[in-house]
């Protein structure tokens, strides 16, 4: 007969004793299922463990035939146990034999039983196994009993994740959470990195599972919830708090979940079952994670992620682990793992120790990816569930070339990558040997190769790559990493330093391009439906003339006595460009009035990244000194596909005919007006795409520093005219059964070009 109320707690106490006894692994498991069965008055208690071949293997049983242990297996989805293993949902049935999925296993003798209660054994949302009790009579298990089972499952999950059970695992069938995994994502920044996991948002490790005093634990939960709710409310209510709309949205959704009674009640139930407050939070978090892993609806997944983040917050409050919220001391070869990350957060890490980042989300043209490339940090994005699969200190290999991550790699994979890394080193040495050679094709077309940059640290690469200069200095990066608006003096310092490092090489400073996904945390802006098309960049600068004036002043001062190139971003109409030029002219007059030295020459250019400009190039070009194509934004707007949204960012080929024709239209206009044209979007740094751009007549390409070597190597091996002719033919004649990409791929292969 089942014990009455209080049995979950008694069970937990008994389990704790069993855990402390000096027993062998199998003995301990046998004892655990005995304890559960006796405590619950069940005829059967069985524990199945999920192997990596998707079979659930019977590891221990009370009540079924002992011969079945390590013999009986069920496929995921097969029988009720298999179904629980597949969907991670508990089942409580009064007569299992009537269930359509009942799978009979003669070796176990289980047909004598009717009542069935099966619960998933989860850790960090991942399925580890299934725990089952059965009774011969027909009955539904009580709430207390299901609670006791869920609690036992939490304990078993913890045990399984230790090394104690390794001896029970047959060679070749790897069951534990620590197994090697390969996760396919998308390469954001090229290169290979071998290192150790550092979780950007580290999980709190719960070590104390069993409560000594339930009331005390409930009170702890209560206090922690109160303090967490108050801190969220505080941040949201502080009128002086300059938080961005994205940050506010996240906090709003945290607040909603923090007050969710259902969530609180589930944690309380877990504690009443005998767990400590933190173990209770973790158990409920496990269920959330399991749902998250199963969920394909993006919106619901997002909300579950919020709930997961909130559980982490609560765990930190409970364990007073707030110190871990700050940035940790990085090990050498640190590889940061995170669900998402803004560029400013990435920049906060010590670059000398950081070798890669892996994100669950993001897109190639998102700014965090751009910053990773400009810092030469290997990056992979869209690596599904990576943050919940790894622990701090895990070995990891990040392959930014293939967009693959190998977590806890086995020795073979590691050896292969060590070899690959050596090859990469050789490649880098090859690129380094090209650094002083001008980028001239075999048929004598000279291409200017320039860097995209934005910080002092990435300016240093100019010397290493031998690039002709900086084609795009993203001045907003300084604003994004600062905790407050950088004053004039700091801006002058940065620009002067950049000019000093560039020496005689050219450098083009782009005016502030904030907004969209470039969040400046201390500048509050109203929530926008479409931030990429909202109050950003030049629009913001024109509305905040003080900001614009200060930056122009800083640039004029930093570039005194030499050429200053200023690039205006996100120009939508020529008139906007003229407004900026007027501000620059006014600032020059002011400098002169104050007796300050001016740059020897000032060139002002416009970025072509808003499609409407394509239809007034004849009006714009006479006004400008140079232009630069921002293909990241231009393609985003031409194809109406958000560059930061991984679902759509890569849906359309940027060098397909419509886009290439748009680029060619700009090339022709620049030629007609004899205006210098540079391509500074990410396309310029990708060899095949760069080939398409050169084919249509672009000869100034600005890219992340790590792309200079590969692109130069391609240029040096290239006869441009023949392939340019073919591309231009397709462009003017239209219909063809081969895409530009296919044409170039074939050409690269047939000519054996180094890509
Ligand atoms: C672009 O849009 O292509 C560009 C170079 O600017 P950013 O990526 O900084 O928006
Ligand atoms: Mg842009």
């Amino acid at each position: 007969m089942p014990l009455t109320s209080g049995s979950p707690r008694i069970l937990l106490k008994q389990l704790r004793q069993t855990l402390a006894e000096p027993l062998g692994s199998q003995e301990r498991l046998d004892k655990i299922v005995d304890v559960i069965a006796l405590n619950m008055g069940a005829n059967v208690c069985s524990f199945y463990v999920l192997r990596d071949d998707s079979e659930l293997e019977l590891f221990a049983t009370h009540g079924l035939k002992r011969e079945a242990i390590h013999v009986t297996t069920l496929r995921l989805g097969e029988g009720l146990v298999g179904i629980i293993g597949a969907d991670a949902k508990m089942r409580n049935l009064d007569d299992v034999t009537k269930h359509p999925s009942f799978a009979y296993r003669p070796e176990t003798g289980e047909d004598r039983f009717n009542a069935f209660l099966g619960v998933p054994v989860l850790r960090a949302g991942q399925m580890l196994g299934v725990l089952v009790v059965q009774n011969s009579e027909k009955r539904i298990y009580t709430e207390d009993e299901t609670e006791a089972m869920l609690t036992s499952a939490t304990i078993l999950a913890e045990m399984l994740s230790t090394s104690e059970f390794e001896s029970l695992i047959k060679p070749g069938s790897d069951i534990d959470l620590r197994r090697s995994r390969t996760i396919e994502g998308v390469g954001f920044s090229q290169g290979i990195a071998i290192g150790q996991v550092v979780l950007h948002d580290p999980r709190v490790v719960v070590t104390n599972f069993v409560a000594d005093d339930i009331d005390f634990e409930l009170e702890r939960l209560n206090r922690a919830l109160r303090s967490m709710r108050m801190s969220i409310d505080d941040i949201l209510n502080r009128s002086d708090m300059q938080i961005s709309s994205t940050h506010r949205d996240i906090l709003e959704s945290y607040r909603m979940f923090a007050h969710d009674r259902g969530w609180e009640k589930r944690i309380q139930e877990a504690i009443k079952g005998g767990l400590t407050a933190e173990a209770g939070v973790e158990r409920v978090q496990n269920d959330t994670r399991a749902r998250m892993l199963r969920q394909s609806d993006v919106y619901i997944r997002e909300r579950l992620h919020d709930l997961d983040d909130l559980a982490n917050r609560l765990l930190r409050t409970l364990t007073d682990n707030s110190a871990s919220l700050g940035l940790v001391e990085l090990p050498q070869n640190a590889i940061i793992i995170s669900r998402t990350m803004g560029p400013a957060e990435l920049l906060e890490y010590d670059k000398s120790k950081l070798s890669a980042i892996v994100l669950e989300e993001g897109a190639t043209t998102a700014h965090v990816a751009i910053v990773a490339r400009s810092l030469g940090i290997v990056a992979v994005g869209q690596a599904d569930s990576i943050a919940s699969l790894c622990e701090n200190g895990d070995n990891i290999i990040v392959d930014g070339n293939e967009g693959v991550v190998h977590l806890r790699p086995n020795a073979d994979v590691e050896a292969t990558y060590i070899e690959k890394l050596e090859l990469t080193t050789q490649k880098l040495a090859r690129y380094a040997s090209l650094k002083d050679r001008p980028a001239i094709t075999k048929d004598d077309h000279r291409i200017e190769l320039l860097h995209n940059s934005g910080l002092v640290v990435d300016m240093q690469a100019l010397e290493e790559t031998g690039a002709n200069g900086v084609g795009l200095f993203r001045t907003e990066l300084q604003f994004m990493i600062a905790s407050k608006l950088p004053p004039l003096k700091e801006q002058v310092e940065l620009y002067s330093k950049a000019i000093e490092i560039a020496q005689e090489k050219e450098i083009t400073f782009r005016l502030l391009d904030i907004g969209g996904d470039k969040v400046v945390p201390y500048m509050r802006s109203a929530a926008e439906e479409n931030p990429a098309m909202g109050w950003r960049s030049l629009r913001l600068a024109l509305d905040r003339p003080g900001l614009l004036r200060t930056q122009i002043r800083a640039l004029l001062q930093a570039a005194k006595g030499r050429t200053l190139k200023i690039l205006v971003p996100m120009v939508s109409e020529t008139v906007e460009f003229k407004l900026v030029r007027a501000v620059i002219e006014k600032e020059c007059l002011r400098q002169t009035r104050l007796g300050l030295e001016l740059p020897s020459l000032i060139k002002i250019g416009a970025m072509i990244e808003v499609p409407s400009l394509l239809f007034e190039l004849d009006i714009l070009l006479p006004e400008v000194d140079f232009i630069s194509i921002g293909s990241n934004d231009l393609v985003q707007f031409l194809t109406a596909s958000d560059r930061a949204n991984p679902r759509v960012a890569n849906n359309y080929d940027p060098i397909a005919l419509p886009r290439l024709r748009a680029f060619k239209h700009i090339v022709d206009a620049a030629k007609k007006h004899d205006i210098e044209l540079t391509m500074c979007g990410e396309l310029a740094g990708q060899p095949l795409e760069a080939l398409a751009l050169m084919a249509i007549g672009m000869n100034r390409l600005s890219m992340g520093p790590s792309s200079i070597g590969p692109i130069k190597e391609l240029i040096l091996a290239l006869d441009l005219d023949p392939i340019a002719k073919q591309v231009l033919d397709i462009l003017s004649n239209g219909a063809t059964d081969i895409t530009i990409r296919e044409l170039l791929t074939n050409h690269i292969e047939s000519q054996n070009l180094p890509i």
Side-chain angles (χ1 to χ4, degrees):
M1 287 301 290
L3 295 179
T4 49
S5 67
S7 60
R9 294 188 212 172
I10 297 170
L11 170 59
L12 213 54
K13 282 212 171 111
Q14 290 167 341
L15 285 178
R16 183 155 64 171
Q17 277 163 15
T18 313
L19 293 180
E21 282 176 40
L23 298 170
S25 322
Q26 185 66 51
E27 258 181 299
R28 195 184 306 284
L29 275 188
D30 293 345
K31 183 102 189 260
I32 287 173
V33 289
D34 285 346
V35 165
I36 298 172
L38 290 175
N39 179 281
M40 294 186 56
N43 301 108
V44 172
C45 176
S46 305
F47 177 39
Y48 295 82
V49 171
L50 181 62
R51 304 191 313 215
D52 68 348
D53 59 359
S54 300
E55 295 277 341
L56 285 152
E57 175 179 321
L58 182 66
F59 256 55
T61 185
H62 168 103
L64 297 184
K65 291 183 186 160
R66 280 201 63 80
E67 305 88 271
I69 295 174
H70 297 303
V71 173
T72 291
T73 60
L74 287 153
R75 256 178 302 107
L76 274 188
E78 182 193 1
L80 261 175
V81 171
I83 288 179
I84 296 170
D87 68 9
K89 283 193 204 145
M90 180 176 77
R91 299 292 193 292
N92 185 355
L93 305 168
D94 65 345
D95 187 355
V96 70
T97 59
K98 291 221 181 83
H99 194 279
S101 299
F102 176 66
Y104 174 60
R105 284 279 183 274
E107 73 273 20
T108 64
E110 74 175 318
D111 54 342
R112 295 182 282 119
F113 307 111
N114 292 307
F116 173 102
L117 173 62
V119 297
V121 176
L122 300 168
R123 188 162 184 277
Q126 286 180 80
M127 174 55 58
L128 289 187
V130 178
L131 180 66
V132 174
V133 284
Q134 289 174 271
N135 279 76
S136 45
E137 75 265 33
K138 289 185 187 169
R139 69 180 187 89
I140 289 290
Y141 293 89
T142 64
E143 253 184 53
D144 257 3
E145 287 167 331
T146 54
E147 198 49 51
M149 282 288 278
L150 287 166
T151 302
S152 306
T154 304
I155 302 277
L156 278 168
E158 276 316 301
M159 288 170 62
L160 271 189
S161 62
T162 66
S163 54
E164 178 174 349
F165 290 93
E166 274 167 12
S167 61
L168 299 183
I169 302 159
K170 288 194 200 117
S173 62
D174 194 359
I175 56 143
D176 74 316
L177 270 182
R178 323 269 319 131
R179 65 173 175 255
S180 305
R181 282 174 185 271
T182 297
I183 298 130
E184 308 248 340
V186 174
F188 281 0
S189 176
Q190 297 254 322
I192 288 167
I194 303 182
Q196 276 177 36
V197 165
V198 174
L199 286 164
H200 180 59
D201 191 9
R203 275 195 298 281
V204 176
V205 181
V206 177
T207 47
N208 185 14
F209 273 83
V210 184
D212 289 322
D213 177 345
I214 303 286
D215 290 338
F216 174 70
E217 296 298 328
L218 285 170
E219 183 44 36
R220 281 184 65 220
L221 173 72
N222 213 352
R223 251 183 288 134
L225 272 172
R226 246 193 340 255
S227 119
M228 187 182 75
R229 284 170 186 153
M230 259 159 49
S231 75
I232 296 174
D233 287 351
D234 259 10
I235 306 174
L236 278 166
N237 294 339
R238 248 186 288 160
S239 56
D240 62 322
M241 185 68 198
Q242 307 242 312
I243 48 177
S244 70
S245 56
T246 327
H247 194 183
R248 174 168 286 277
D249 284 351
I250 295 170
L251 284 168
E252 293 279 10
S253 101
Y254 277 3
R255 170 150 70 181
M256 190 183 83
F257 285 123
H259 289 273
D260 184 316
R261 293 278 162 224
W263 184 59
E264 183 180 346
K265 191 159 172 273
R266 275 182 289 141
I267 303 172
Q268 283 168 344
E269 292 300 326
I271 296 173
K272 284 180 193 161
L275 292 177
T276 56
E278 50 270 42
V281 174
E282 199 185 68
R283 207 192 77 198
V284 174
Q285 188 183 30
N286 266 335
D287 297 340
T288 313
R289 290 223 169 121
R291 278 163 62 203
M292 211 153 69
L293 294 177
R294 290 194 304 265
Q295 188 56 250
S296 56
D297 183 293
V298 179
Y299 179 78
I300 299 178
R301 251 177 101 121
E302 269 302 305
R303 300 289 73 78
L304 289 170
H305 270 303
D306 288 345
L307 193 52
D308 186 55
D309 288 347
L310 191 72
N312 273 340
R313 226 169 223 259
L314 188 55
L315 280 173
R316 282 198 195 99
T317 315
L318 274 165
T319 51
D320 196 23
N321 204 345
S322 40
S324 69
L325 277 171
L327 288 179
V328 286
E329 176 68 21
L330 293 184
Q332 278 303 334
N333 295 326
I335 292 179
I336 305 288
I337 311 289
S338 184
R339 188 157 69 84
T340 58
M341 193 188 283
E345 291 168 289
L346 172 58
L347 288 165
E348 279 177 33
Y349 283 102
D350 175 356
K351 188 194 161 261
S352 66
K353 293 184 177 164
L354 183 60
S355 46
I357 56 164
V358 183
L359 305 179
E360 289 187 6
E361 297 175 4
T364 327
T365 53
H367 286 97
V368 64
I370 290 172
V371 172
R373 278 195 290 280
S374 77
L375 294 178
I377 294 166
V378 180
V380 166
Q382 300 174 37
D384 210 15
S385 302
I386 181 90
S388 41
L389 293 174
C390 55
E391 307 270 358
N392 269 333
D394 278 348
N395 289 338
I396 186 167
I397 296 172
V398 183
D399 183 340
N401 307 335
E402 301 293 328
V404 171
V405 177
H406 300 277
L407 183 59
R408 297 178 288 268
N410 59 38
D412 287 352
V413 172
E414 198 160 341
T416 312
Y417 270 93
I418 288 173
E419 228 167 83
K420 275 195 187 188
L421 208 55
E422 269 161 24
L423 284 178
T424 309
T425 315
Q426 287 166 17
K427 235 191 219 174
L428 291 177
R430 222 169 56 224
Y431 298 151
S433 74
L434 303 177
K435 106 178 163 66
D436 295 324
R437 283 180 66 183
I440 301 177
T441 63
K442 282 183 8 198
D443 50 353
D444 224 22
H445 294 278
R446 188 186 181 100
I447 312 290
E448 299 288 317
L449 298 183
L450 304 139
H451 277 194
N452 289 346
S453 174
L455 298 165
V456 169
V457 279
D458 61 18
M459 284 295 296
Q460 323 280 1
L462 211 47
E463 169 65 27
E464 291 151 30
T465 63
N468 301 97
V470 175
L472 172 68
F473 190 94
R474 291 183 161 103
T475 58
E476 61 276 6
L477 293 187
Q478 182 190 25
F479 285 67
M480 287 158 70
I481 54 177
S483 54
K484 58 179 186 21
L485 212 61
L488 175 75
K489 185 167 160 280
E490 281 173 25
Q491 294 183 45
V492 175
E493 267 166 23
L494 173 68
Y495 307 149
S496 305
K497 187 85 192 144
I499 290 169
E500 184 193 317
I501 298 172
Q503 295 178 10
E504 291 315 306
K505 292 182 176 178
E506 63 167 285
I507 173 164
T508 299
F509 290 98
R510 180 174 69 182
L511 294 178
L512 264 188
D513 186 24
I514 48 184
D517 72 328
K518 295 178 194 173
V519 178
V520 176
Y522 44 84
M523 281 177 68
R524 191 210 297 255
S525 57
E528 292 183 303
E529 286 273 328
N530 291 304
M533 298 197 282
W535 193 58
R536 59 171 280 208
S537 193
L538 180 59
R539 297 156 191 184
L540 188 149
L542 288 173
D543 286 350
R544 301 271 304 258
L547 200 66
L548 181 62
R549 270 200 309 269
T550 309
Q551 186 177 33
I552 290 169
R553 237 167 249 180
L555 287 166
L556 293 175
Q557 287 182 26
K560 61 179 182 229
R562 54 171 288 163
T563 300
L564 170 64
K565 285 181 89 175
I566 296 179
L567 180 58
V568 187
M570 282 288 285
V571 179
S572 306
E573 293 187 331
T574 306
V575 64
E576 289 175 330
F577 178 82
K578 288 188 185 170
L579 286 173
V580 178
R581 198 178 54 195
V583 177
I584 296 173
E585 282 165 0
K586 213 165 151 194
E587 282 307 311
C588 285
L589 287 176
R590 179 182 174 273
Q591 291 283 102
T592 315
R593 224 177 30 243
L594 293 173
L596 299 169
E597 190 184 359
L598 281 173
S600 55
L601 179 64
I602 300 174
K603 291 184 171 182
I604 314 172
M607 280 197 80
I608 313 285
E609 49 185 350
V610 178
S612 74
L613 267 194
L614 266 63
F615 303 96
E616 62 172 26
L617 288 173
D618 282 339
I619 297 169
L620 174 78
L621 296 196
E623 304 290 334
V624 303
D625 297 311
F626 63 95
I627 53 172
S628 196
I629 302 180
S631 59
N632 305 336
D633 276 314
L634 185 56
V635 171
Q636 135 166 289
F637 295 128
L638 281 173
T639 59
S641 47
D642 183 351
R643 62 190 265 188
N645 178 348
R647 277 209 152 181
V648 298
N650 300 316
N651 278 13
Y652 307 101
D653 186 350
I655 55 162
L657 279 186
R659 270 70 76 191
L660 210 54
R661 282 202 180 111
F663 299 151
K664 177 71 166 52
H665 175 69
I666 304 170
V667 171
D668 292 344
K671 258 195 203 125
K672 178 175 147 193
H673 291 271
D674 194 19
I675 288 289
E676 177 194 280
L677 163 69
T678 307
M679 163 63 90
C680 66
E682 299 309 302
L683 284 187
Q686 297 161 13
L688 187 140
E689 287 77 358
L691 181 53
L693 300 175
M694 290 186 280
I696 59 166
M698 286 193 199
N699 55 15
R700 285 175 54 89
L701 304 177
S702 191
M703 61 198 76
S706 59
S707 296
I708 298 279
I711 301 279
K712 191 187 270 187
E713 194 172 54
L714 166 70
I715 291 170
L716 294 173
L718 180 70
D719 264 320
L720 183 57
D721 289 334
I723 185 66
K725 185 175 175 316
Q726 291 183 58
V727 171
L728 294 173
D729 269 358
I730 297 183
L731 237 53
S732 45
N733 297 330
T736 166
D737 48 8
I738 183 164
T739 64
I740 298 285
R741 185 168 293 278
E742 284 162 351
L743 173 79
L744 296 180
T745 308
N746 295 344
H747 184 76
I748 286 163
E749 267 169 28
S750 68
Q751 301 297 305
N752 210 5
L753 292 172
I755 285 195

